[in-house]
Amino acid sequence: MCRAAENGRSMEAEVREILKTATRKPTWLSEWLALMPGFVGAELAIPSRTEPRIVDFSGDEGR
């Protein structure tokens, strides 16, 4: 017996129920996004940057 018949639904109604159930399950992303409203407007310190170092790729380094 198929799942739809066991649940007393048409195939279409069963597929709709499966899709609704699958999309309702919380994921780590949905849980993380739910926390985001608390961080709106939070000011984060931007670290200062330094100049990049110069790298010699000629192979004459240290000779």
Side-chain angles (χ1 to χ4, degrees), residues 12-55:
E12 181 182 353
E14 189 66 23
V15 170
R16 288 177 189 267
E17 186 59 33
I18 291 168
L19 291 173
K20 272 198 295 189
T21 302
T23 56
R24 256 187 279 155
K25 291 181 182 173
T27 62
W28 67 269
L29 180 59
S30 64
E31 291 173 359
W32 184 80
L33 289 172
L35 295 173
M36 287 300 98
F39 292 102
V40 173
E43 294 298 321
L44 302 175
I46 299 174
S48 60
R49 305 265 177 172
T50 59
E51 291 293 318
R53 62 186 175 96
I54 297 174
V55 179

